[in-house]
């Protein structure tokens, strides 16, 4: 009799524990297989991204985020990925047929994401980058889990590209960052009108041409918008041309030189090509990769020699 009572109590306890577990896992897909966001209140101090042999580490050190322990991370990119990691939710499940068609058959390998707080693992999941949906992703908690399209509620934003393993993506998008007093020389080559080219030289803070404070002040911060490798398929979008239109060479007072080559861009819309009047392509000697610049950011320094010698 006592044995019967004992087993009855044990059975009741197990039933109660099972009910508690099911309540905690209240999700149409099972919380353990569908909860991607970092728990509220947890501090994120490290993000690790990997894809086969490639690996990228973002770590917060003394209030500053570093890329692979060396370079300062771009603030906007960190803010964006932190927002993703804290707010992402399931938009819709993905069928086995769709996953097979869009991921397996296309050979798309996942980016493995691990999120830490002071070396303690907070969350991990897999990101399959795809153009098959507006949000640019299909995600899984683990290999054998159910796949989902994931989004940030309230934002129709493509988030798959945020899980980038290219170190350049995470670094500041800056071409020039020099005060006028730090500039040694500036050379502007207009490759279509060579008579408009000019050079400015700093001779003990006495510049050869007069009234240069205006143009030189623009070199304090000349950014670019994004890397070309971040762009979607080139079937519809921005295309680069091989024709260079400007070369801008800036050497600081310590002899460090940056050479910026500017190319026109062509936009392909509905199968037709037209010149992009809002953006140009940029490239420096530091990398073979092209980046995209807005005319708004670069136009202030695209001067002709006549600018300094008005009639």
């Amino acid at each position: 009799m006592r044995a019967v009572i004992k087993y009855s109590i044990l059975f009741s306890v197990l039933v109660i524990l099972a009910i508690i577990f099911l309540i905690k896992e209240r999700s149409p897909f099972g919380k353990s297989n569908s909860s991607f966001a970092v728990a509220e209140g947890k501090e994120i101090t490290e993000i690790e991204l990997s894809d086969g042999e490639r690996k990228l580490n973002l770590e917060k050190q003394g209030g500053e985020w570093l890329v692979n322990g060396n370079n300062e991370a771009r603030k906007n990119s960190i803010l964006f990925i932190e927002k993703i990691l804290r707010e992402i939710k399931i938009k819709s499940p993905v069928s086995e047929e769709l996953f097979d068609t869009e991921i397996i058959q296309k050979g798309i390998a996942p980016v493995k994401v691990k999120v830490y707080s002071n070396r303690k693992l907070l969350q991990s999941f897999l990101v399959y980058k795809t153009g098959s949906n507006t949000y640019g992703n299909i995600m899984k908690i683990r290999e054998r889990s159910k796949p989902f399209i994931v989004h940030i509620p309230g934002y129709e934003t493509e988030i798959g590209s945020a899980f980038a393993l290219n170190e350049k993506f995470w670094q500041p998008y800056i071409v020039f960052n020099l005060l006028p007093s730090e500039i040694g020389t500036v050379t502007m080559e207009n490759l279509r009108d060579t008579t408009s080219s000019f050079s400015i030289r700093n001779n003990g803070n006495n510049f050869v041409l007069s009234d240069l404070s205006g143009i030189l002040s623009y070199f304090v911060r000349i950014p670019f918008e994004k890397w070309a490798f971040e762009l979607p398929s080139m079937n519809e979008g921005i295309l680069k041309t091989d024709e260079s239109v400007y070369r801008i060479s800036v050497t600081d007072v310590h002899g460090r030189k940056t050479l910026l080559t500017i190319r026109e861009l062509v936009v392909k819309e509905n199968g037709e090509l037209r010149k992009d009047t809002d953006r140009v392509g940029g490239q420096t000697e530091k990398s073979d990769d092209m980046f995209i610049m807005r005319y708004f950011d670069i136009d202030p320094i695209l001067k002709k020699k006549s600018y300094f010698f008005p009639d």
Side-chain angles (χ1 to χ4, degrees):
M1 186 66 179
R2 289 182 178 178
V4 173
I5 295 173
K6 180 179 178 181
Y7 285 116
S8 296
I9 294 173
L10 180 60
F11 177 75
S12 299
V13 171
L14 292 174
V15 170
I16 293 171
L17 290 175
I19 292 172
I20 293 173
F21 176 78
L22 290 174
I23 291 174
K24 290 179 69 177
E25 290 285 304
R26 188 180 295 170
S27 166
F29 311 109
K31 187 175 180 181
S32 61
N33 289 317
S34 60
S35 180
F36 293 88
V38 171
E40 186 177 353
K42 298 292 186 180
E43 182 187 14
I44 298 174
T45 60
E46 186 178 358
I47 303 166
E48 180 184 292
L49 308 176
S50 62
D51 173 11
E53 295 182 357
R54 296 190 302 165
K55 185 176 179 181
L56 183 132
N57 180 268
L58 303 168
E59 188 171 5
K60 189 176 183 180
Q61 296 183 12
E64 183 181 68
W65 282 87
L66 299 179
V67 185
N68 289 333
N70 298 314
N71 300 308
E72 176 191 359
R74 183 165 47 92
K75 289 182 174 62
N76 286 346
S77 64
I78 293 297
L79 290 173
F80 185 46
I81 198 167
E82 282 192 303
K83 183 177 182 66
I84 293 172
L85 295 174
R86 294 187 185 283
E87 299 183 21
I88 52 173
K89 294 187 182 298
I90 291 172
K91 179 67 176 179
S92 63
V94 174
S95 66
E96 292 183 9
E97 293 77 13
L98 180 61
F99 187 80
D100 180 75
T101 301
E102 295 296 335
I103 303 299
I104 296 178
Q105 292 185 26
K106 293 181 179 180
I108 298 176
V111 175
K112 296 181 180 179
V113 181
K114 293 183 179 180
V115 187
Y116 297 89
S117 178
N118 299 316
R119 305 297 180 183
K120 180 181 179 181
L121 183 64
L122 297 178
Q123 184 61 280
S124 63
F125 51 86
L126 305 173
V127 179
Y128 298 85
K129 299 180 185 181
T130 173
S132 63
N133 61 75
T134 304
Y135 308 100
N137 74 84
I138 292 176
M139 298 190 190
K140 287 183 174 185
I141 291 294
R142 56 187 68 87
E143 287 282 357
R144 297 183 179 276
S145 300
K146 185 172 180 61
F148 301 95
I149 296 172
V150 177
H151 75 136
I152 303 175
Y155 293 85
E156 295 296 314
T157 304
E158 190 274 311
I159 62 176
S161 60
F163 299 92
L165 282 94
N166 193 319
E167 189 170 334
K168 296 172 185 173
F169 172 85
W170 299 98
Q171 295 174 4
Y173 287 1
I174 297 293
V175 183
F176 298 114
N177 185 24
L178 294 168
L179 294 170
S181 60
E182 297 174 318
I183 295 175
T185 61
V186 174
T187 300
M188 168 72 75
E189 292 182 73
N190 188 324
L191 302 178
R192 289 183 173 174
D193 181 7
T194 56
T195 61
S196 296
S197 300
F198 64 88
S199 181
I200 301 169
R201 182 168 56 87
N202 182 345
N203 185 14
N205 284 332
N206 293 315
F207 292 93
V208 174
L209 296 176
S210 61
D211 193 22
L212 299 177
S213 58
I215 187 172
L216 293 179
S217 64
Y218 288 114
F219 286 90
V220 172
R221 187 177 185 276
I222 298 180
F224 60 93
E225 188 176 22
K226 62 179 65 179
W227 288 97
F229 58 68
E230 296 177 57
L231 296 173
S233 170
M234 290 298 188
N235 292 330
E236 293 287 330
I238 298 175
L239 304 173
K240 74 173 182 177
T241 65
D242 292 330
E243 184 179 6
S244 301
V245 290
Y246 291 100
R247 276 198 298 263
I248 303 171
S249 174
V250 179
T251 304
D252 68 15
V253 293
H254 302 291
R256 293 173 299 217
K257 179 179 177 181
T258 297
L259 176 62
L260 170 64
T261 299
I262 297 176
R263 294 183 173 88
E264 284 187 345
L265 296 177
V266 174
V267 178
K268 187 175 184 181
E269 294 178 343
N270 301 319
E272 296 184 358
L273 298 177
R274 66 170 178 81
K275 177 183 175 181
D276 192 331
T277 56
D278 298 317
R279 290 170 175 78
V280 294
Q283 189 175 19
T284 70
E285 77 288 356
K286 299 173 184 177
S287 173
D288 293 331
D289 291 316
M290 186 180 77
F291 44 80
I292 309 301
M293 303 183 74
R294 300 179 301 174
Y295 267 116
F296 176 84
D297 294 315
I298 195 68
D299 185 64
I301 65 171
L302 297 181
K303 305 298 184 185
K304 294 184 178 181
K305 187 159 55 176
S306 58
Y307 169 83
F308 305 101
F309 302 100
D311 294 333

